[in-house]
Amino acid sequence: MLLLQCPWCGDRSEEEFACGGEGDIVRPLVPEELDDRAWGDYVFMRRNEKGIHFERWRHAHGCGRWFNVARSTVTHEILASYQVGDDRPELPE
Amino acid sequence: MSRARHEPLAHLALAAAGETTGPDAGVTLQAAPYQPAVILRGESGNAAFLEAFRAGMGFDLPLAANHVNSHAGATALWLGPSEWLVQSTTGQAEHGRLAAALTGHRHAIIDHGDGQQIIRVSGPRARDVLSKLCPLDLEGPDLAPGRCARSILARCSILLHPLPGGGYHIHVGRSFADYVWRLLADAGLEFGVAIGGAG
Amino acid sequence: MRQAINRLAEGGRIDRTERLSFRFDDEIMYGHPGDTLASALLANGVRLVGRSFKYHRPRGLMAAGGEESNGLVRLRQGGRAEPNVRATEIVLFDGLVAESQNRWPSLRFDLGALNDRLSPLFPAGFYYKTFMWPANLWPSYEAVIRRMAGLGKAAKSGDPDRYEKKYAHCDVLVVGAGPAGLAAALWAGRTGARVILADEGTELGGALLGNGQQIDGRPGTAWVAGIEAELAKAANVRLLPRTTVGGYYDHNALTLLERVADHLSKPDQGQPRQRLWQVRAKQVVLATGALERPMVLANNDRPGVMGAGAVQTYINRYGVRPGRRAVLFTNNDSAYRVALDLAQAGVEVPAIVDLRAQAPLGWRAELDRFGIEVMADRAVLGVAGRNAVTGVQIGKLNAAGNGVVPGLARRIECDLLCLSGGWTPSLHLLSQSGARLRWDGTPGCFLPGEAHQAVRVVGAANGDFMLQDCLTLGAGAGKSAANDAGHQHRGRGPRKPVAAVEADPTPPRPIWSIPGPGRDGRKSGGKAFVDFQSDVTAADLRLAAREGYHSIEHVKRYTTVGMGTDQGRTSNINALGIVADALDVAIPQVGHTTFRPPFSPVTFGALAGGQTGPLLDPARRTPMHGWHQANGAVFEPVGQWHRPYYYPKAGEDMAAAVNRETLAARTSLGLMDATTLGKIDIRGPDAAEFLNRIYINGWKSLAVGGCRYGLMLGEDGMVFDDGVTARLAEDHFHMTTTTGNAAHVHDWLENWLQTEWPDLAVYCTSCTEQWAVAALCGPNARRLMASLCPGFDLSAEAFPHMTWQTVAIPGVLEGLEARIFRIGFTGELSFEINVPAGHGLALWEALMAAGEKYGITPFGTEAMHVLRAEVGFIIVGQETDGTTTPDDLGMGRMVSSKKDFLGKRSLSRSDTMRQDRPQLVGLLTDDPGHRVPEGAQLIAGNNPAPPQRGLGHVTSSYHSPNLDRTFALALLQGGRGRHGETIHIAYDGRAVPAQVTAPRFLDPGEAAK
C-alpha cells in the first residue's frame, strides 16, 4: 500500500487514489493528420519502464485533483509529486 | 398539504433512538436531520470571486486544504482547490444570498442538502471506531477539531469533520447512509453503542 | 490420570496456585496460568505430539516459540476449530481442547507411518517422477496422496467469531519486545514520539523471559517489568502484546495480527477474536531477534531432540524440565549456559558435545561443579530410540567435517538431546521491505544489508548477540528513529542499562550436515532432517543438486524445503549450506530464497475483517427503497446499487411478474425507480464546447430546454457510456450516465478538463445523490401527469419529446419544482420526474395513488430490459463489450463530421472500418417459444460440434408478452447485410436456427412521442 503525496492534501493512503497510468502523454492537436501507426502509438503504446516512471494519479476520494508522480518501479520509491502543468522536477540520478 | 421531507435513516436511526447496546456505551451515533447545503465551485485564484463571497457571506472561503471557516450560521468546508461545501443552519435564505452575491463571477452552485446524510459519531471511543474503517491519521494535525478531510470509510467516500466540541460529523452520500450507519454500529459493538435522537 | 511429572517445584513465570484443565486427544491434563499448551504437555510428560507431513514419523516439541515445526495441533472444536496451530503459541486456558494431526487411527498407532518404511519410494520430487504418467490417473493418485500427506482439517461449520481491521499511524514502530526492542521503544517514547511496540508473545521481554540474564544487577525480567510499567503509562506509546508483525510493505506500511481473544476460551460480547492492524510508520525498528538452528544429523527428529534455547526457556519461563538426562550438542557458546540451567533444575547432564576443537574456557569451574563433561572436537552422529530419545552416538569428524574419524565412537544414554547449530537472525520482515541481506561467514548467517525504507535493525536480528550490545544499540536506534521522525529528547534520555559481563564468544564452527555413523559417513543410521515440517532431509537436497537444481529457488520448489507454514525459519540456512556444499560453491553464490508476507499464518477471518455478510459491500439505496421492500420487490445489484429486479405478486414466478410489468408499461402505465442513473452537473461558459469534445454528436445546436442522447467513446473509438443530457441554461447542462459507470465517467471528464483542456472554463460536479427520479411510461402517462400538475400544458406541442421543464406538483412539493424530462427508455410516452431526493418517496407514493385508476404498475430492471430491447435501445456493457464502435451498433449516423471528439480518429483505423465487424442485429428463433441464453455463440451451419468459427454472440435475450414470442439482440459479423438470413445459435451441444432481423421489434408509433 503506497503512501502518496497529494500536492494539495499531503500524505494519504493509496486507497484514496485512482491510478491513471503513464503521464505526460499529449493528445495530438489534429488527430486527423496522423496516420494509423502514429495514432495507434498515442492510443495504445506505453513505456512500461523499469526504473523511474512518470505517472498520473487522481485523489479520487479526496480533493479530486489529478497530479503527477515520479515513481521507481523497482523500489516504489516516490521521487516527486507535482501538479498537472508543472514542469518535471529535477530528479537525483 | 405537503409531505415532510423523508430522512434517509428514518428506518434505522430514528427508529432506534434511545437504544443502547452494552452497559456503558463508548460511542454514540446520531443521524443529523436535513440541513440546507450546496457545493460551491469557483477559482481559489480569482480575487473578485473570493471578495464577492466575503461581501455576501461575511467571512472568507477557506483556501488552505482541509480547512473550515464559518460565520453566523454558515459554514464553508474545503473539499478541493475549486470546491467547497457550504452549509447553513438558518435555511435556504443563506443560499439565496450566496447566489446573489456571486452573480457575475464565474462559479457554480449545486444543491447538495438532499444528497448527503450527516452522521454524528461521539463518545470516548469515537476515534477507535473510526480507525477501524478509515485510513486517515485521526490523531494527526490535519484532523484537529475544526478541520475536515475527504477520505473513505470502508469502501464509501466520506467527508470527515472533527467537531470543535468533540466527536465527528461524517458526511456520506444519501444512498450510502444505511450501509455506513450499519458499519458504524457494528464497529462500535465492542464498546457499546448508544443511538441518539435526531439533532 | 497423568501427573505433571516434569513440572519443577519452583521457578518460572507460571502461577502454581491455579490449575487449568485441558484435553489433548483423549486425555485430560492440568497446567497453570502462564503456560502454553506446549509447556503444559511437556510438564505432563507428553513427548509425542504429532506425526510428520510425509513420512508420518513420530514427532515431539522442538521449540518454545513460533519456529516450532512439529507441534501443530487442531485447536478448539466446531466452528471455532482451527488446524495447524503451533502448540508453543497457544496460551493455555481452562477447558482448552486440542487434537494431534496427521495420524490415523491414533497418534501412537498410525497406519501412515508405513510411509517411513517405504521412503525409498518418496524421494525429492516424487510427485513429478512417479505419478505424472499416465496423466489421466493423476486425479486418483492425487486423492490418495492428499489424504495421506497433509496437515490438519479445517472447520466444517461457520466461524462464530468477529474479526476486524484497524488503521494506525505512528512515528516509530518497534517490532519485538526483547531487550533491544524495549530499549528502542523506551528511548523513542521518551521523545514524545508516537510509538507502537508489538511482540508475538503474551508477555514483553523476549529472550529475557527465558534465559536468566541479568541487567543492572537484577534479573532481566525485573528490568523488563520496570520498562513495561513506564511504557504502559505513556500516552504516546501503544503496547501490542500477542501481536505478530507479518507483512512489511511499501512506504513503511506493515500489517500486524493481534490475537485479541485467542488466549480466552471465547471472545467477550462484541470483542473481535483477532484484529488485523494496518500501520503506517514514519520509522521502523526491527528487533526481531534470532532463531536457533538445529543440527542436521541422523534421526534428529526423534521426540526428545530439542533446541537448546527452547529447553532453557521451558526451564526458566515455564518451570518445566523437558527430560531427566540431557546431552547438549553445539557449535557455539550459547548451549553452555543451557547446560548449567539444566543442571540447576536437577537434570542430569553427562556431556556437552562441542564441534569446535577449542571449547570456551570461561565455563570450566561451573561445569565442573555439576560434573558436566565437555567433549570438544566431537559430534553427535546419530540418535537412538523411535518414539523417544534413548541415547546418542558420538564420534569425531575429520577436519573438513564431511567424514567420521574411525575408532572413536562412544554412546551416551539420555532422554533429551539439546541442539544448538548457531543462530539465524530473523530478517524476514527486513527482506520483505526490499532490503538486501549479506552473508557473514563468522557467525554463519545473513545480516542486514542495504535498506530501501526507513528501517533500522537492532539486537540479535542485526547479529548483535551480546546483551549489552542489544541494550545500547537498541536505545540508540530508538532515539535516532524518533529524531528522524521529528522528535527530540528534551533534557537527558533514560539511564543506560548495563548487562552482566559476558565472556567474548569463541567463534562457531558451522557444519551444515553431520555425517552419519556409517563407515563412509554417508550411509547414515537414519534420516537427517533439514525441514521438519515439510519432511525434507539432507539427502533430498543433495539429490536435487545432483539432478541439476542449482538455483536455491528451484531446490526449494522441487524438494519443498522451507515451504511449510514456518517459512523455513529453522531450515533455510542449513538447506543453503548443504546445497552450497553439494555444489561446491560458497553460500553467497547460492543466495537465499525470497521472503514473502505473511511471516506467520493469518486466518481468513482476519483478512476479511468486519466487512462480511450484510456488510460485505456497500448497498446503495434509493429514497424509494423502503417502498420497494414493503411491496415485495426482489432486488438486483447494479454496481453497488440495489435496484428492484421485479415485483412478484402472490403466486407469481419471475417470468410471470416480468410479463405483467412489461405489458402494463406498453398498454397502460408503468413506473420505474430511475434514481440510480449517474447525474453530473456541467456548468461554465465552455460547457457546450466541452460536451462537443466528449460526445460523438454535436451539442452547440441544442437549445436551452432541450435534451439529447449522446454516446461517449474511449480514445480507441469504442463505446464506453451513453445517456441523455439536457441543456438547463446557455452555460449549464445536466448529464446522465449509466448506473454502473457514473464514477468512471466523472473521472473521465475530470481527467480531460484538468490535464488536457485546463483552458476550458467548466465545472463538473456529481449530483447523483441529490435527485430522486421516477420514470413514468405508457399510453396513460400524460393523463396521470395532468392530474398531478393541474393547469400545466402537457401537450406534445407545448412539451414535446426530448425537452424538459420545471413543473410544480402541488401537494407533493411545496415551494419546490420538479424537473421533468420528456425522455424515456422504453419507446413509450414517458416522463422522467426528478425531485430533490428527500421528496422522492412522496413523489413515488403520489404517482402510485394517482395512477391507481390506470392500473399503474411498478416495474423492475428486468421488465425495463425487455421494454428497451423491444424497441432496439442498447445497454452499454450488454450490447457493447469494449470492442464495439457506434457503427457496430448501427449508430454511425450520430457521428459528427464537423468536429473532433474523443475517439474519432480511431473510427477511421483500418480495423474499425472492416466490413465484417460484429454488428448489432435482431434474432428470432424459428421456434417462437425458445429463449436462447445470453452469451451463446453464433455459427453458420446446423452442426454445433467443435471446432467452429464463431460469427458473434447473443447479447440480450428475452420473452416479450407484447410480441408474444422470444427475441434476442446479437452482435453478428457483417450482420447489417444479413437481415433475412438464417444463422444458428450454439449452446449445450445444440444449434438453434434463428432468422436475422433488424434490431428493432416493435414501434410504439408517433403517439408515444
Side-chain angles (χ1 to χ4, degrees):
Chain A
M1 197 64 75
L2 306 182
L3 185 68
L4 293 160
Q5 288 84 49
C6 170
W8 282 271
C9 303
D11 288 355
R12 295 290 187 90
S13 175
E14 185 182 339
E15 293 155 273
E16 294 184 4
F17 297 85
C19 185
E22 186 176 329
D24 294 344
I25 296 169
V26 178
R27 184 169 203 268
L29 281 175
V30 190
E32 307 302 311
E33 291 175 356
L34 269 58
D35 63 17
D36 275 7
R37 168 167 291 278
W39 177 254
D41 283 350
Y42 156 70
V43 175
F44 300 113
M45 303 308 281
R46 297 293 180 265
R47 296 168 72 88
N48 196 22
E49 203 98 44
K50 179 180 179 182
I52 295 175
H53 188 242
F54 290 87
E55 59 196 18
R56 304 177 318 140
W57 290 78
R58 181 176 183 231
H59 196 186
H61 294 286
C63 65
R65 297 293 99 184
W66 283 93
F67 60 98
N68 296 311
V69 166
R71 177 177 64 92
S72 162
T73 56
V74 179
T75 63
H76 284 319
E77 186 186 355
I78 290 180
L79 297 111
S81 296
Y82 52 104
Q83 296 184 11
V84 169
D86 286 357
D87 290 335
R88 274 189 184 184
E90 293 285 326
L91 297 177
E93 283 301 307
Chain B
M1 166 68 206
S2 172
R3 292 272 308 273
R5 193 180 295 266
H6 181 245
E7 295 286 347
L9 287 173
H11 63 295
L12 284 178
L14 306 182
E19 286 181 11
T20 300
T21 71
D24 306 302
V27 58
T28 300
L29 300 181
Q30 273 170 289
Y34 169 84
Q35 194 181 348
V38 297
I39 305 278
L40 171 64
R41 304 294 305 267
E43 292 307 298
S44 293
N46 179 348
F49 159 76
L50 298 175
E51 185 45 46
F53 180 92
R54 180 185 171 69
M57 304 298 289
F59 69 105
D60 285 320
L61 268 179
L63 299 183
N66 302 320
H67 278 63
V68 180
N69 287 350
S70 52
H71 172 72
T75 305
L77 299 96
W78 187 93
L79 301 178
S82 66
E83 192 170 3
W84 297 264
L85 175 67
V86 182
Q87 304 211 113
S88 62
T89 50
T90 50
Q92 297 288 359
E94 210 71 45
H95 294 125
R97 203 144 54 83
L98 178 62
L102 295 177
T103 304
H105 301 281
R106 189 189 151 206
H107 75 285
I109 293 173
I110 300 96
D111 280 336
H112 192 57
D114 286 85
Q116 68 172 356
Q117 171 67 50
I118 301 173
I119 298 174
R120 185 184 166 133
V121 184
S122 57
R125 308 308 294 268
R127 188 194 283 163
D128 293 310
V129 170
L130 289 187
S131 69
K132 296 182 184 188
L133 303 165
C134 175
L136 288 172
D137 182 357
L138 300 170
E139 296 169 327
D142 288 345
L143 280 169
R147 299 285 180 88
C148 70
R150 276 175 163 176
S151 184
I152 53 169
L153 193 85
R155 266 159 280 182
C156 310
S157 243
I158 59 160
L159 170 66
L160 186 67
H161 182 199
L163 304 172
Y168 297 85
H169 269 171
I170 301 173
H171 300 239
V172 293
R174 180 187 186 103
S175 66
F176 289 97
D178 170 89
Y179 177 75
V180 168
W181 179 274
R182 288 187 290 117
L183 265 184
L184 291 167
D186 183 73
L189 205 58
E190 182 181 8
F191 312 117
V193 181
I195 311 297
Chain C
M1 190 211 302
R2 273 191 189 262
Q3 297 299 314
I5 51 170
N6 285 332
R7 182 73 73 185
L8 299 172
E10 55 187 28
R13 304 178 62 76
I14 51 164
D15 177 6
R16 288 180 178 75
T17 62
E18 193 183 333
R19 282 205 323 176
L20 304 174
S21 100
F22 68 99
R23 198 174 90 205
F24 179 64
D25 285 343
D26 292 327
E27 267 189 285
I28 306 275
M29 296 175 236
Y30 294 93
H32 300 292
D35 263 326
T36 60
L37 174 61
S39 69
L41 286 170
L42 282 173
N44 282 279
V46 176
R47 310 211 93 180
L48 181 61
V49 295
R51 290 275 174 176
S52 74
F53 178 66
K54 184 164 142 188
Y55 301 119
H56 289 245
R57 285 169 66 106
R59 290 283 171 82
L61 293 158
M62 302 193 71
E67 71 275 28
E68 174 63 40
S69 35
N70 289 338
L72 306 184
V73 301
R74 187 175 202 254
L75 181 64
R76 304 177 203 261
Q77 294 173 299
R80 290 198 165 93
E82 186 181 6
N84 308 329
V85 190
R86 300 178 186 118
T88 50
E89 294 188 312
I90 298 169
V91 176
L92 195 69
F93 54 85
D94 198 45
L96 180 149
V97 176
E99 277 175 21
S100 58
Q101 303 185 150
N102 205 26
R103 83 288 188 274
W104 187 83
S106 77
L107 185 54
R108 281 227 150 250
F109 179 72
D110 170 34
L111 283 179
L114 213 56
N115 281 7
D116 195 21
R117 314 282 165 158
L118 300 177
S119 63
L121 297 179
F122 303 113
F126 75 100
Y127 255 36
Y128 314 110
K129 290 167 179 163
T130 317
F131 296 108
M132 284 296 139
W133 186 91
N136 59 350
L137 281 184
W138 168 243
S140 344
Y141 297 139
E142 191 186 25
V144 174
I145 293 169
R146 292 265 183 255
R147 207 176 311 132
M148 293 292 288
L151 296 168
K153 294 187 191 74
K156 287 206 168 116
S157 50
D159 185 340
D161 290 331
R162 293 168 59 84
Y163 297 82
E164 67 179 33
K165 293 187 187 172
K166 193 167 171 80
Y167 295 95
H169 301 256
C170 66
D171 294 308
V172 182
L173 170 65
V174 181
V175 185
L182 281 170
L186 183 67
W187 257 258
R190 284 277 185 97
T191 65
R194 283 193 287 170
V195 176
I196 294 177
L197 173 62
D199 190 275
E200 282 192 303
T202 45
E203 290 185 272
L204 306 187
L208 291 174
L209 297 171
N211 68 11
Q213 283 183 293
Q214 302 254 321
I215 298 175
D216 294 340
R218 50 190 181 141
T221 48
W223 178 80
V224 171
I227 306 290
E228 183 174 357
E230 174 175 342
L231 294 176
K233 269 190 299 201
N236 58 319
V237 177
R238 192 195 286 273
L239 297 179
L240 290 176
R242 294 190 295 276
T243 302
T244 304
V245 182
Y248 196 143
Y249 304 89
D250 299 307
H251 301 170
N252 269 2
L254 293 96
T255 52
L256 288 55
L257 181 71
E258 181 187 5
R259 291 173 295 278
V260 180
D262 277 358
H263 59 300
L264 309 172
S265 61
K266 67 177 170 40
D268 291 339
Q269 175 70 27
Q271 185 186 40
R273 179 193 160 207
Q274 295 178 341
R275 186 181 283 138
L276 191 72
W277 292 73
Q278 293 170 269
V279 175
R280 183 78 67 178
K282 290 201 178 85
Q283 300 286 326
V284 171
V285 177
L286 295 177
T288 42
L291 296 171
E292 196 173 27
R293 297 190 289 269
M295 295 277 204
V296 179
L297 54 90
N299 291 330
N300 59 347
D301 65 327
R302 294 305 187 205
V305 180
M306 299 180 72
V311 166
Q312 187 179 35
T313 298
Y314 282 115
I315 293 170
N316 292 328
R317 180 170 178 187
Y318 299 108
V320 172
R321 62 176 169 202
R324 300 298 175 93
R325 186 175 156 88
V327 170
L328 296 98
F329 178 31
T330 186
N331 66 3
N332 67 90
D333 289 1
S334 65
Y336 284 76
R337 194 194 308 275
V338 181
L340 295 173
D341 287 352
L342 277 163
Q344 255 148 10
V347 178
E348 202 181 337
V349 184
I352 300 177
V353 181
D354 196 324
L355 263 176
R356 298 169 295 184
Q358 191 64 61
L361 300 172
W363 309 90
R364 199 60 268 167
E366 285 180 277
L367 294 172
D368 284 348
R369 188 152 67 87
F370 292 106
I372 300 171
E373 179 185 358
V374 175
M375 302 172 69
D377 200 15
R378 289 291 186 278
V380 171
L381 305 177
V383 178
R386 179 162 177 82
N387 283 337
V389 174
T390 57
V392 294
Q393 192 172 359
I394 294 166
K396 177 177 162 69
L397 303 188
N398 61 19
N402 58 7
V404 178
V405 178
L408 294 170
R410 184 174 153 191
R411 185 186 156 103
I412 301 181
E413 306 297 314
C414 63
D415 64 354
L416 179 64
L417 172 63
C418 308
L419 298 178
S420 182
W423 293 81
T424 302
S426 278
L427 295 174
H428 302 69
L429 290 174
L430 183 73
S431 180
Q432 285 178 28
S433 81
R436 297 187 181 285
L437 308 182
R438 62 182 171 85
W439 177 255
D440 188 325
T442 307
C445 59
F446 283 102
L447 292 176
E450 188 198 345
H452 283 304
Q453 303 205 37
V455 58
R456 291 164 173 78
V457 187
V458 293
N462 194 41
D464 297 321
F465 296 112
M466 305 292 273
L467 179 56
Q468 186 61 58
D469 290 343
C470 291
L471 295 169
T472 306
L473 300 175
K479 183 175 169 207
S480 70
N483 291 351
D484 286 355
H487 295 266
Q488 309 290 332
H489 282 288
R490 284 184 294 271
R492 290 168 56 193
R495 201 174 55 79
K496 298 249 174 4
V498 179
V501 177
E502 294 168 271
D504 286 340
T506 307
R509 180 189 181 195
I511 304 262
W512 305 115
S513 171
I514 306 296
R519 198 173 307 148
D520 61 359
R522 281 282 153 84
K523 190 80 187 138
S524 68
K527 294 186 178 70
F529 284 90
V530 178
D531 183 329
F532 297 81
Q533 195 180 8
S534 305
D535 259 1
V536 180
T537 67
D540 291 332
L541 294 169
R542 290 194 193 98
L543 178 64
R546 282 203 302 282
E547 289 182 351
Y549 293 89
H550 291 182
S551 153
I552 192 67
E553 295 284 6
H554 293 162
V555 171
K556 171 177 169 175
R557 281 151 187 80
Y558 188 59
T559 63
T560 73
V561 70
M563 285 175 62
T565 57
D566 63 355
Q567 291 220 339
R569 288 184 204 182
T570 54
S571 61
N572 279 338
I573 300 297
N574 285 337
L576 271 182
I578 291 167
V579 171
D581 284 351
L583 298 173
D584 199 20
V585 298
I587 283 184
Q589 282 175 261
V590 180
H592 60 83
T593 54
T594 310
F595 296 106
R596 294 190 178 82
F599 171 64
S600 266
V602 179
T603 55
F604 283 114
L607 291 175
Q611 277 104 69
T612 58
L615 297 177
L616 182 66
D617 201 44
R620 300 179 69 181
R621 299 159 59 108
T622 74
M624 293 83 110
H625 189 93
W627 189 95
H628 303 320
Q629 278 181 319
N631 288 273
V634 172
F635 289 89
E636 174 191 39
V638 182
Q640 292 175 325
W641 289 97
H642 284 210
R643 300 192 69 178
Y645 194 15
Y646 56 98
Y647 300 80
K649 292 192 164 175
E652 270 185 343
D653 61 6
M654 177 172 169
V658 172
N659 273 348
R660 174 178 50 73
E661 293 170 16
T662 309
L663 270 175
R666 283 258 183 264
T667 57
S668 179
L669 199 52
L671 182 63
M672 186 186 71
D673 184 352
T675 304
T676 60
L677 284 180
K679 306 169 206 72
I680 300 172
D681 183 279
I682 297 174
R683 185 182 282 197
D686 296 318
E689 169 62 21
F690 178 58
L691 292 180
N692 248 7
R693 298 183 189 185
I694 291 289
Y695 280 127
I696 66 170
N697 42 346
W699 290 82
K700 293 194 170 169
S701 63
L702 179 65
V704 172
C707 305
R708 185 165 285 172
Y709 173 77
L711 273 183
M712 285 182 205
L713 312 184
E715 281 283 62
D716 58 2
M718 303 302 155
V719 172
F720 106 94
D721 204 67
D722 70 344
V724 171
T725 290
R727 192 163 202 166
L728 303 182
E730 199 56 39
D731 65 345
H732 194 185
F733 292 82
H734 177 87
M735 174 187 279
T736 64
T737 75
T738 54
T739 293
N741 222 8
H744 188 184
V745 171
H746 193 205
D747 265 12
W748 176 250
L749 302 183
E750 287 291 341
N751 178 5
W752 292 101
L753 273 180
Q754 290 182 30
T755 70
E756 201 70 29
W757 306 322
D759 52 311
L760 292 187
V762 179
Y763 293 122
C764 295
T765 310
S766 170
C767 57
T768 302
E769 298 278 11
Q770 172 68 19
W771 298 94
V773 183
L776 187 68
C777 75
N780 285 315
R782 189 172 278 125
R783 285 180 201 100
L784 173 67
M785 288 308 294
S787 70
L788 278 179
C789 320
F792 189 84
D793 187 352
L794 289 155
S795 67
E797 297 71 36
F799 193 2
H801 185 52
M802 297 307 279
T803 64
W804 71 277
Q805 305 222 25
T806 54
V807 183
I809 307 182
V812 178
L813 298 171
E814 214 60 55
L816 288 170
E817 288 184 319
R819 275 185 196 161
I820 300 184
F821 298 82
R822 275 279 286 108
I823 59 174
F825 197 40
T826 61
E828 288 299 326
L829 177 65
S830 299
F831 297 86
E832 285 192 5
I833 310 157
N834 287 238
V835 296
H839 302 281
L841 180 60
L843 170 71
W844 183 274
E845 288 176 341
L847 289 167
M848 286 303 298
E852 204 174 342
K853 62 180 171 236
Y854 305 112
I856 189 169
T857 302
F859 64 95
T861 50
E862 185 65 9
M864 178 265 281
H865 282 199
V866 177
L867 289 161
R868 63 90 204 177
E870 287 173 343
V871 293
F873 291 162
I874 62 145
I875 289 184
V876 171
Q878 187 153 345
E879 271 64 57
T880 73
D881 63 0
T883 66
T884 313
T885 67
D887 189 59
D888 297 343
L889 296 168
M891 298 194 208
R893 277 170 305 153
M894 274 177 70
V895 174
S896 167
S897 59
K898 297 187 193 139
K899 55 157 194 169
D900 186 29
F901 56 85
L902 296 176
K904 184 178 192 183
R905 174 64 185 81
S906 287
L907 298 181
S908 55
R909 290 175 65 233
S910 56
D911 185 60
T912 44
M913 308 264 285
R914 277 190 296 119
Q915 290 308 299
D916 63 343
R917 289 182 63 82
Q919 293 167 337
L920 188 69
V921 295
L923 293 179
L924 292 172
T925 49
D926 290 0
D927 171 1
H930 191 112
R931 185 173 156 196
V932 294
E934 291 170 356
Q937 295 295 305
L938 308 182
I939 57 174
N942 61 2
N943 176 5
Q948 288 282 347
R949 201 172 75 85
L951 300 176
H953 70 277
V954 175
T955 59
S956 293
S957 174
Y958 308 102
H959 176 263
S960 163
N962 299 303
L963 305 169
D964 194 24
R965 62 154 298 143
T966 64
F967 70 104
L969 295 172
L971 287 166
L972 172 66
Q973 284 180 10
R976 269 204 297 283
R978 304 175 74 156
H979 293 183
E981 289 181 20
T982 294
I983 54 99
H984 290 83
I985 303 165
Y987 71 96
D988 281 355
R990 345 169 32 178
V992 178
Q995 196 186 35
V996 180
T997 72
R1000 186 172 172 87
F1001 303 89
L1002 194 149
D1003 186 358
E1006 276 309 302
K1009 295 286 185 199

